[in-house]
Amino acid sequence: MRYSIIWMCFNQKYLFDVYADSVKDYDVEIIISDDGSTDGSREEAKKRGWAVVGNKVNKGFDIITGANQAAKVALGEYLIYFTGDTHPKHDYIHKADPHVAADRLLNGMRLQINEKGTVIANDWRYLKLKDGIDWDQPILDMSRVLPSAPWELMQSNGMMIPKKMYNAAHGMDLRYRYHPGACDTDLCAHCFYRGNKLMIVPEAVCYHRYHRENFDDDYSTSLKEKRIKEFEETYGKPEKG
C-alpha cells in the first residue's frame, strides 16, 4: 500500500463522513489517532473498518502518542497526517503524488474555512512569508524560501512523509506531550538535518477549520531551540539548494 492517512482527532466523529468522502477516489488506509474521545469516535471508526490508535482517556493535547502509534501500525509506504479539524480537497493526493520521493517531506497548501466551509484565508504560517514567492510553481523548496529555518513552514497538518523517514527520526519527540506547538516543526527540522528535503506543493489543498493562531509555549520553544543545536552538532549544517 502506498499511503496511510492518519487523522489526529478528539471528539470529531461528526466529520467522519467528510474524511471518507475526501479520499474516496483512492486506495488508502485510514487510521484514527484518537486522544480519548467521548463521542463514540473509536467505535464508529472501527465500524467503518478504520484502524484506531491513541489514548483511551484524554491526555490534553497529546497528539504525539497517537501519531507515533499510528506510524508503527501503518501499512503504507508514505504517511499523510491531518489534524481532526482538517480534510483534504478531493485531488490532494493526485496533486502531491508526482512530487513524492523517499527523501522528501511534503506539505500541501492549507486554506482556512469557516463553519459553512467557505475559504476565508490562507494558513497564518504562509501569511508570514515575504512577498515575491511564486505560488504558481508546482513545488516550493523550503530551503530556498526560508534558508535559515525551512522547517518553520512545515507541520504535521497535511504532512506527507515516508514511513522510513519518520522512523529514522524516531517520530515525534515525546517530551513535547501536553505542550502546544513545536513537536511537528521539530520533526521536520530533524528530517532536514538528516539530509532530507522539505517541500510545499501549493496545488495540493487541504481545508483547515478556522481557529485563532496557536503559539508555542515557552517549554516547547526552548526545547526546540535546544534540539536544533543538537541536530547541527550531530549532522552539521545541511547543504542549501
Side-chain angles (χ1 to χ4, degrees):
M1 181 172 290
R2 185 164 174 82
Y3 291 111
S4 293
I5 300 184
I6 299 156
W7 265 285
M8 297 178 286
C9 302
F10 175 67
N11 285 346
Q12 278 147 337
K13 182 180 71 170
Y14 68 98
L15 288 173
F16 282 8
D17 284 343
V18 176
Y19 297 171
D21 184 66
S22 68
V23 296
K24 65 182 180 181
D25 296 329
Y26 304 96
D27 180 20
V28 296
E29 176 187 34
I30 294 178
I31 303 174
I32 298 299
S33 171
D34 185 69
D35 190 14
S37 291
T38 57
D39 64 347
S41 288
R42 300 174 76 94
E43 294 77 11
E44 177 61 26
K46 291 176 180 178
K47 285 181 183 178
R48 293 171 181 256
W50 301 347
V52 179
V53 298
N55 301 314
K56 292 183 178 180
V57 296
N58 181 251
K59 301 290 187 179
F61 205 79
D62 181 17
I63 65 171
I64 297 175
T65 298
N68 290 344
Q69 288 175 347
K72 289 180 180 178
V73 303
L75 301 177
E77 182 181 1
Y78 297 92
L79 312 176
I80 308 178
Y81 282 95
F82 293 109
T83 57
D85 58 357
T86 302
H87 69 273
K89 190 177 177 182
H90 289 89
D91 62 356
Y92 190 89
I93 294 176
H94 176 73
K95 294 293 187 181
D97 189 73
H99 308 291
V100 168
D103 65 343
R104 286 182 178 177
L105 191 161
L106 300 177
N107 262 154
M109 174 65 72
R110 294 174 299 279
L111 299 181
Q112 292 185 313
I113 60 175
N114 61 18
E115 65 278 1
K116 296 180 180 179
T118 302
V119 174
I120 56 176
N122 280 337
D123 190 283
W124 57 74
R125 294 161 188 81
Y126 304 132
L127 298 179
K128 295 177 181 178
L129 286 173
K130 294 180 179 179
D131 294 335
I133 295 174
D134 185 1
W135 290 108
D136 290 328
Q137 292 293 319
I139 189 167
L140 294 172
D141 182 346
M142 289 296 96
S143 67
R144 296 179 183 274
V145 176
L146 288 179
S148 61
W151 51 85
E152 290 296 343
L153 281 185
M154 310 297 291
Q155 60 164 318
S156 57
N157 199 3
M159 179 174 70
M160 304 177 71
I161 182 170
K163 182 175 179 178
K164 287 184 179 180
M165 186 190 300
Y166 192 94
N167 290 340
H170 305 292
M172 296 190 193
D173 194 294
L174 289 174
R175 287 174 290 181
Y176 287 103
R177 282 186 300 177
Y178 324 132
H179 293 278
C183 59
D184 45 6
T185 48
D186 176 301
L187 171 65
C188 295
H190 197 179
C191 293
F192 181 70
Y193 273 92
R194 291 175 63 89
N196 298 291
K197 298 178 177 64
L198 306 182
M199 306 282 193
I200 285 179
V201 185
E203 295 180 332
V205 172
C206 59
Y207 299 113
H208 184 193
R209 281 158 178 76
Y210 175 77
H211 58 76
R212 292 183 179 180
E213 180 175 356
N214 289 330
F215 294 93
D216 299 351
D217 67 13
D218 292 340
Y219 173 88
S220 288
T221 299
S222 61
L223 176 58
K224 182 176 69 172
E225 291 174 352
K226 175 184 176 182
R227 290 261 295 168
I228 289 178
K229 289 180 181 178
E230 293 173 353
F231 297 154
E232 190 166 312
E233 292 172 357
T234 302
Y235 305 109
K237 293 184 177 180
E239 295 182 7
K240 301 296 189 298

